[in-house]
PDB file of all heavy atoms in Angstrom:
ATOM      1  N   SER A   1       0.842  -1.194   0.000  1.00 94.00           N
ATOM      2  CA  SER A   1       0.000   0.000   0.000  1.00 94.00           C
ATOM      3  C   SER A   1       0.877   1.243   0.000  1.00 94.00           C
ATOM      4  O   SER A   1       1.926   1.269   0.636  1.00 94.00           O
ATOM      5  CB  SER A   1      -0.901   0.012   1.241  1.00 94.00           C
ATOM      6  OG  SER A   1      -1.723  -1.134   1.287  1.00 94.00           O
ATOM      7  N   SER A   2       0.456   2.279  -0.707  1.00 92.00           N
ATOM      8  CA  SER A   2       1.163   3.550  -0.630  1.00 92.00           C
ATOM      9  C   SER A   2       0.649   4.314   0.580  1.00 92.00           C
ATOM     10  O   SER A   2      -0.501   4.153   0.996  1.00 92.00           O
ATOM     11  CB  SER A   2       0.937   4.363  -1.904  1.00 92.00           C
ATOM     12  OG  SER A   2      -0.448   4.628  -2.087  1.00 92.00           O
ATOM     13  N   GLY A   3       1.508   5.125   1.178  1.00 94.00           N
ATOM     14  CA  GLY A   3       1.091   5.877   2.364  1.00 94.00           C
ATOM     15  C   GLY A   3       0.876   4.948   3.545  1.00 94.00           C
ATOM     16  O   GLY A   3       1.757   4.163   3.908  1.00 94.00           O
ATOM     17  N   THR A   4      -0.309   5.020   4.134  1.00 97.00           N
ATOM     18  CA  THR A   4      -0.627   4.189   5.298  1.00 97.00           C
ATOM     19  C   THR A   4      -0.709   2.720   4.908  1.00 97.00           C
ATOM     20  O   THR A   4      -1.400   2.354   3.954  1.00 97.00           O
ATOM     21  CB  THR A   4      -1.961   4.634   5.927  1.00 97.00           C
ATOM     22  OG1 THR A   4      -1.849   6.000   6.354  1.00 97.00           O
ATOM     23  CG2 THR A   4      -2.312   3.759   7.124  1.00 97.00           C
ATOM     24  N   LEU A   5      -0.014   1.883   5.663  1.00 97.00           N
ATOM     25  CA  LEU A   5      -0.025   0.446   5.405  1.00 97.00           C
ATOM     26  C   LEU A   5      -1.261  -0.199   6.001  1.00 97.00           C
ATOM     27  O   LEU A   5      -1.789   0.252   7.029  1.00 97.00           O
ATOM     28  CB  LEU A   5       1.219  -0.214   6.004  1.00 97.00           C
ATOM     29  CG  LEU A   5       2.567   0.173   5.409  1.00 97.00           C
ATOM     30  CD1 LEU A   5       3.703  -0.367   6.274  1.00 97.00           C
ATOM     31  CD2 LEU A   5       2.700  -0.355   3.983  1.00 97.00           C
ATOM     32  N   ALA A   6      -1.731  -1.269   5.374  1.00 96.00           N
ATOM     33  CA  ALA A   6      -2.808  -2.063   5.945  1.00 96.00           C
ATOM     34  C   ALA A   6      -2.297  -2.767   7.201  1.00 96.00           C
ATOM     35  O   ALA A   6      -1.100  -2.977   7.372  1.00 96.00           O
ATOM     36  CB  ALA A   6      -3.297  -3.088   4.925  1.00 96.00           C
ATOM     37  N   LEU A   7      -3.230  -3.129   8.087  1.00 96.00           N
ATOM     38  CA  LEU A   7      -2.841  -3.735   9.364  1.00 96.00           C
ATOM     39  C   LEU A   7      -1.995  -4.982   9.159  1.00 96.00           C
ATOM     40  O   LEU A   7      -0.972  -5.175   9.838  1.00 96.00           O
ATOM     41  CB  LEU A   7      -4.087  -4.070  10.186  1.00 96.00           C
ATOM     42  CG  LEU A   7      -3.845  -4.770  11.527  1.00 96.00           C
ATOM     43  CD1 LEU A   7      -2.985  -3.914  12.447  1.00 96.00           C
ATOM     44  CD2 LEU A   7      -5.186  -5.109  12.188  1.00 96.00           C
ATOM     45  N   GLU A   8      -2.391  -5.849   8.228  1.00 97.00           N
ATOM     46  CA  GLU A   8      -1.631  -7.072   7.987  1.00 97.00           C
ATOM     47  C   GLU A   8      -0.231  -6.750   7.472  1.00 97.00           C
ATOM     48  O   GLU A   8       0.743  -7.427   7.814  1.00 97.00           O
ATOM     49  CB  GLU A   8      -2.373  -7.961   6.982  1.00 97.00           C
ATOM     50  CG  GLU A   8      -1.770  -9.348   6.811  1.00 97.00           C
ATOM     51  CD  GLU A   8      -1.844 -10.186   8.078  1.00 97.00           C
ATOM     52  OE1 GLU A   8      -2.684  -9.889   8.946  1.00 97.00           O
ATOM     53  OE2 GLU A   8      -1.053 -11.148   8.192  1.00 97.00           O
ATOM     54  N   GLU A   9      -0.109  -5.713   6.653  1.00 97.00           N
ATOM     55  CA  GLU A   9       1.199  -5.287   6.175  1.00 97.00           C
ATOM     56  C   GLU A   9       2.069  -4.807   7.333  1.00 97.00           C
ATOM     57  O   GLU A   9       3.274  -5.080   7.377  1.00 97.00           O
ATOM     58  CB  GLU A   9       1.042  -4.176   5.134  1.00 97.00           C
ATOM     59  CG  GLU A   9       0.414  -4.641   3.823  1.00 97.00           C
ATOM     60  CD  GLU A   9       0.149  -3.494   2.871  1.00 97.00           C
ATOM     61  OE1 GLU A   9      -0.473  -2.500   3.308  1.00 97.00           O
ATOM     62  OE2 GLU A   9       0.559  -3.575   1.700  1.00 97.00           O
ATOM     63  N   CYS A  10       1.452  -4.086   8.286  1.00 97.00           N
ATOM     64  CA  CYS A  10       2.204  -3.641   9.466  1.00 97.00           C
ATOM     65  C   CYS A  10       2.723  -4.847  10.240  1.00 97.00           C
ATOM     66  O   CYS A  10       3.903  -4.899  10.629  1.00 97.00           O
ATOM     67  CB  CYS A  10       1.316  -2.781  10.366  1.00 97.00           C
ATOM     68  SG  CYS A  10       0.767  -1.230   9.620  1.00 97.00           S
ATOM     69  N   ARG A  11       1.863  -5.820  10.478  1.00 98.00           N
ATOM     70  CA  ARG A  11       2.268  -7.035  11.216  1.00 98.00           C
ATOM     71  C   ARG A  11       3.406  -7.749  10.492  1.00 98.00           C
ATOM     72  O   ARG A  11       4.381  -8.177  11.118  1.00 98.00           O
ATOM     73  CB  ARG A  11       1.078  -7.982  11.361  1.00 98.00           C
ATOM     74  CG  ARG A  11       0.034  -7.569  12.369  1.00 98.00           C
ATOM     75  CD  ARG A  11      -0.769  -8.794  12.808  1.00 98.00           C
ATOM     76  NE  ARG A  11      -1.899  -8.424  13.617  1.00 98.00           N
ATOM     77  CZ  ARG A  11      -3.154  -8.285  13.165  1.00 98.00           C
ATOM     78  NH1 ARG A  11      -3.402  -8.480  11.876  1.00 98.00           N
ATOM     79  NH2 ARG A  11      -4.140  -7.948  13.970  1.00 98.00           N
ATOM     80  N   ASN A  12       3.254  -7.912   9.192  1.00 98.00           N
ATOM     81  CA  ASN A  12       4.265  -8.641   8.422  1.00 98.00           C
ATOM     82  C   ASN A  12       5.628  -7.961   8.501  1.00 98.00           C
ATOM     83  O   ASN A  12       6.665  -8.628   8.634  1.00 98.00           O
ATOM     84  CB  ASN A  12       3.831  -8.754   6.965  1.00 98.00           C
ATOM     85  CG  ASN A  12       2.656  -9.696   6.773  1.00 98.00           C
ATOM     86  OD1 ASN A  12       2.348 -10.513   7.647  1.00 98.00           O
ATOM     87  ND2 ASN A  12       1.990  -9.584   5.640  1.00 98.00           N
ATOM     88  N   ARG A  13       5.659  -6.653   8.423  1.00 98.00           N
ATOM     89  CA  ARG A  13       6.934  -5.932   8.451  1.00 98.00           C
ATOM     90  C   ARG A  13       7.596  -5.985   9.825  1.00 98.00           C
ATOM     91  O   ARG A  13       8.819  -6.131   9.925  1.00 98.00           O
ATOM     92  CB  ARG A  13       6.715  -4.482   7.988  1.00 98.00           C
ATOM     93  CG  ARG A  13       6.638  -4.396   6.470  1.00 98.00           C
ATOM     94  CD  ARG A  13       5.628  -3.384   5.959  1.00 98.00           C
ATOM     95  NE  ARG A  13       5.491  -3.550   4.499  1.00 98.00           N
ATOM     96  CZ  ARG A  13       4.775  -4.543   3.929  1.00 98.00           C
ATOM     97  NH1 ARG A  13       4.148  -5.427   4.681  1.00 98.00           N
ATOM     98  NH2 ARG A  13       4.714  -4.652   2.607  1.00 98.00           N
ATOM     99  N   LEU A  14       6.793  -5.908  10.858  1.00 98.00           N
ATOM    100  CA  LEU A  14       7.355  -6.009  12.214  1.00 98.00           C
ATOM    101  C   LEU A  14       7.865  -7.426  12.481  1.00 98.00           C
ATOM    102  O   LEU A  14       8.908  -7.618  13.118  1.00 98.00           O
ATOM    103  CB  LEU A  14       6.302  -5.611  13.238  1.00 98.00           C
ATOM    104  CG  LEU A  14       5.870  -4.144  13.196  1.00 98.00           C
ATOM    105  CD1 LEU A  14       4.693  -3.910  14.136  1.00 98.00           C
ATOM    106  CD2 LEU A  14       7.027  -3.222  13.550  1.00 98.00           C
ATOM    107  N   GLU A  15       7.135  -8.419  11.986  1.00 98.00           N
ATOM    108  CA  GLU A  15       7.574  -9.806  12.144  1.00 98.00           C
ATOM    109  C   GLU A  15       8.901 -10.039  11.421  1.00 98.00           C
ATOM    110  O   GLU A  15       9.822 -10.671  11.967  1.00 98.00           O
ATOM    111  CB  GLU A  15       6.512 -10.762  11.609  1.00 98.00           C
ATOM    112  CG  GLU A  15       6.862 -12.231  11.770  1.00 98.00           C
ATOM    113  CD  GLU A  15       5.760 -13.164  11.301  1.00 98.00           C
ATOM    114  OE1 GLU A  15       4.586 -12.737  11.280  1.00 98.00           O
ATOM    115  OE2 GLU A  15       6.071 -14.333  10.960  1.00 98.00           O
ATOM    116  N   ALA A  16       9.012  -9.513  10.206  1.00 98.00           N
ATOM    117  CA  ALA A  16      10.244  -9.695   9.433  1.00 98.00           C
ATOM    118  C   ALA A  16      11.417  -8.969  10.083  1.00 98.00           C
ATOM    119  O   ALA A  16      12.543  -9.495  10.115  1.00 98.00           O
ATOM    120  CB  ALA A  16      10.050  -9.211   8.002  1.00 98.00           C
ATOM    121  N   LEU A  17      11.193  -7.773  10.622  1.00 97.00           N
ATOM    122  CA  LEU A  17      12.271  -7.051  11.313  1.00 97.00           C
ATOM    123  C   LEU A  17      12.730  -7.816  12.546  1.00 97.00           C
ATOM    124  O   LEU A  17      13.923  -7.868  12.861  1.00 97.00           O
ATOM    125  CB  LEU A  17      11.813  -5.646  11.713  1.00 97.00           C
ATOM    126  CG  LEU A  17      11.776  -4.577  10.629  1.00 97.00           C
ATOM    127  CD1 LEU A  17      11.454  -3.224  11.249  1.00 97.00           C
ATOM    128  CD2 LEU A  17      13.107  -4.493   9.888  1.00 97.00           C
ATOM    129  N   THR A  18      11.775  -8.409  13.258  1.00 98.00           N
ATOM    130  CA  THR A  18      12.138  -9.224  14.424  1.00 98.00           C
ATOM    131  C   THR A  18      12.976 -10.422  13.998  1.00 98.00           C
ATOM    132  O   THR A  18      14.009 -10.727  14.605  1.00 98.00           O
ATOM    133  CB  THR A  18      10.872  -9.698  15.156  1.00 98.00           C
ATOM    134  OG1 THR A  18      10.126  -8.567  15.619  1.00 98.00           O
ATOM    135  CG2 THR A  18      11.229 -10.591  16.346  1.00 98.00           C
ATOM    136  N   GLU A  19      12.548 -11.104  12.941  1.00 97.00           N
ATOM    137  CA  GLU A  19      13.262 -12.293  12.458  1.00 97.00           C
ATOM    138  C   GLU A  19      14.643 -11.944  11.914  1.00 97.00           C
ATOM    139  O   GLU A  19      15.574 -12.751  12.003  1.00 97.00           O
ATOM    140  CB  GLU A  19      12.430 -12.987  11.383  1.00 97.00           C
ATOM    141  CG  GLU A  19      11.140 -13.607  11.910  1.00 97.00           C
ATOM    142  CD  GLU A  19      10.165 -13.982  10.808  1.00 97.00           C
ATOM    143  OE1 GLU A  19      10.291 -13.471   9.678  1.00 97.00           O
ATOM    144  OE2 GLU A  19       9.250 -14.795  11.076  1.00 97.00           O
ATOM    145  N   ALA A  20      14.793 -10.733  11.375  1.00 97.00           N
ATOM    146  CA  ALA A  20      16.104 -10.319  10.869  1.00 97.00           C
ATOM    147  C   ALA A  20      17.129 -10.240  11.998  1.00 97.00           C
ATOM    148  O   ALA A  20      18.319 -10.485  11.784  1.00 97.00           O
ATOM    149  CB  ALA A  20      15.990  -8.972  10.166  1.00 97.00           C
ATOM    150  N   ASN A  21      16.682  -9.877  13.189  1.00 97.00           N
ATOM    151  CA  ASN A  21      17.552  -9.826  14.374  1.00 97.00           C
ATOM    152  C   ASN A  21      18.794  -8.969  14.113  1.00 97.00           C
ATOM    153  O   ASN A  21      19.928  -9.374  14.369  1.00 97.00           O
ATOM    154  CB  ASN A  21      17.957 -11.235  14.802  1.00 97.00           C
ATOM    155  CG  ASN A  21      18.306 -11.316  16.283  1.00 97.00           C
ATOM    156  OD1 ASN A  21      18.123 -10.342  17.027  1.00 97.00           O
ATOM    157  ND2 ASN A  21      18.819 -12.456  16.716  1.00 97.00           N
ATOM    158  N   GLU A  22      18.556  -7.760  13.619  1.00 97.00           N
ATOM    159  CA  GLU A  22      19.660  -6.874  13.239  1.00 97.00           C
ATOM    160  C   GLU A  22      19.820  -5.688  14.192  1.00 97.00           C
ATOM    161  O   GLU A  22      20.392  -4.670  13.832  1.00 97.00           O
ATOM    162  CB  GLU A  22      19.436  -6.349  11.815  1.00 97.00           C
ATOM    163  CG  GLU A  22      19.494  -7.401  10.731  1.00 97.00           C
ATOM    164  CD  GLU A  22      20.899  -7.830  10.370  1.00 97.00           C
ATOM    165  OE1 GLU A  22      21.847  -7.137  10.784  1.00 97.00           O
ATOM    166  OE2 GLU A  22      21.055  -8.864   9.699  1.00 97.00           O
ATOM    167  N   VAL A  23      19.270  -5.811  15.409  1.00 98.00           N
ATOM    168  CA  VAL A  23      19.493  -4.789  16.432  1.00 98.00           C
ATOM    169  C   VAL A  23      20.635  -5.288  17.315  1.00 98.00           C
ATOM    170  O   VAL A  23      20.511  -6.319  17.992  1.00 98.00           O
ATOM    171  CB  VAL A  23      18.224  -4.527  17.270  1.00 98.00           C
ATOM    172  CG1 VAL A  23      18.500  -3.450  18.329  1.00 98.00           C
ATOM    173  CG2 VAL A  23      17.068  -4.099  16.374  1.00 98.00           C
ATOM    174  N   TYR A  24      21.741  -4.555  17.317  1.00 97.00           N
ATOM    175  CA  TYR A  24      22.962  -5.028  17.974  1.00 97.00           C
ATOM    176  C   TYR A  24      23.299  -4.175  19.194  1.00 97.00           C
ATOM    177  O   TYR A  24      23.126  -2.943  19.177  1.00 97.00           O
ATOM    178  CB  TYR A  24      24.135  -4.968  16.999  1.00 97.00           C
ATOM    179  CG  TYR A  24      23.951  -5.842  15.777  1.00 97.00           C
ATOM    180  CD1 TYR A  24      23.610  -5.283  14.542  1.00 97.00           C
ATOM    181  CD2 TYR A  24      24.118  -7.225  15.862  1.00 97.00           C
ATOM    182  CE1 TYR A  24      23.451  -6.077  13.420  1.00 97.00           C
ATOM    183  CE2 TYR A  24      23.956  -8.016  14.739  1.00 97.00           C
ATOM    184  CZ  TYR A  24      23.625  -7.445  13.527  1.00 97.00           C
ATOM    185  OH  TYR A  24      23.450  -8.231  12.417  1.00 97.00           O
ATOM    186  N   PHE A  25      23.809  -4.845  20.231  1.00 96.00           N
ATOM    187  CA  PHE A  25      24.271  -4.188  21.447  1.00 96.00           C
ATOM    188  C   PHE A  25      25.688  -4.637  21.757  1.00 96.00           C
ATOM    189  O   PHE A  25      26.106  -5.741  21.362  1.00 96.00           O
ATOM    190  CB  PHE A  25      23.373  -4.547  22.638  1.00 96.00           C
ATOM    191  CG  PHE A  25      21.932  -4.129  22.475  1.00 96.00           C
ATOM    192  CD1 PHE A  25      21.011  -4.990  21.894  1.00 96.00           C
ATOM    193  CD2 PHE A  25      21.510  -2.890  22.897  1.00 96.00           C
ATOM    194  CE1 PHE A  25      19.684  -4.620  21.739  1.00 96.00           C
ATOM    195  CE2 PHE A  25      20.187  -2.492  22.756  1.00 96.00           C
ATOM    196  CZ  PHE A  25      19.273  -3.361  22.169  1.00 96.00           C
ATOM    197  N   SER A  26      26.404  -3.806  22.459  1.00 91.00           N
ATOM    198  CA  SER A  26      27.704  -4.230  22.961  1.00 91.00           C
ATOM    199  C   SER A  26      27.490  -5.389  23.926  1.00 91.00           C
ATOM    200  O   SER A  26      26.451  -5.480  24.596  1.00 91.00           O
ATOM    201  CB  SER A  26      28.405  -3.071  23.669  1.00 91.00           C
ATOM    202  OG  SER A  26      28.635  -2.004  22.776  1.00 91.00           O
ATOM    203  N   SER A  27      28.439  -6.305  23.996  1.00 89.00           N
ATOM    204  CA  SER A  27      28.306  -7.518  24.806  1.00 89.00           C
ATOM    205  C   SER A  27      28.002  -7.182  26.262  1.00 89.00           C
ATOM    206  O   SER A  27      28.711  -6.389  26.889  1.00 89.00           O
ATOM    207  CB  SER A  27      29.586  -8.343  24.721  1.00 89.00           C
ATOM    208  OG  SER A  27      29.479  -9.512  25.504  1.00 89.00           O
ATOM    209  N   GLY A  28      26.897  -7.765  26.756  1.00 91.00           N
ATOM    210  CA  GLY A  28      26.553  -7.603  28.156  1.00 91.00           C
ATOM    211  C   GLY A  28      26.034  -6.233  28.531  1.00 91.00           C
ATOM    212  O   GLY A  28      25.868  -5.936  29.720  1.00 91.00           O
ATOM    213  N   SER A  29      25.755  -5.369  27.527  1.00 95.00           N
ATOM    214  CA  SER A  29      25.305  -4.020  27.847  1.00 95.00           C
ATOM    215  C   SER A  29      24.082  -3.674  27.016  1.00 95.00           C
ATOM    216  O   SER A  29      23.639  -4.435  26.155  1.00 95.00           O
ATOM    217  CB  SER A  29      26.410  -2.994  27.576  1.00 95.00           C
ATOM    218  OG  SER A  29      26.452  -2.625  26.214  1.00 95.00           O
ATOM    219  N   ALA A  30      23.522  -2.486  27.289  1.00 97.00           N
ATOM    220  CA  ALA A  30      22.358  -2.005  26.567  1.00 97.00           C
ATOM    221  C   ALA A  30      22.730  -0.857  25.634  1.00 97.00           C
ATOM    222  O   ALA A  30      21.848  -0.089  25.217  1.00 97.00           O
ATOM    223  CB  ALA A  30      21.277  -1.574  27.544  1.00 97.00           C
TER     224      ALA A  30
END
């Protein structure tokens, strides 16, 4: 969808970002 995403599109994108696991932290820290 252009502009505002449909609810299912929002869910799918958040699920894929979670599965990508590309949020990195220094070891043992936040």
Side-chain angles (χ1 to χ4, degrees):
S1 301
S2 60
T4 299
L5 295 170
L7 177 60
E8 188 64 21
E9 292 174 309
C10 296
R11 286 202 188 98
N12 290 343
R13 280 143 189 78
L14 294 173
E15 182 177 336
L17 282 187
T18 299
E19 293 166 341
N21 205 7
E22 294 283 347
V23 180
Y24 299 104
F25 299 90
S26 298
S27 180
S29 83

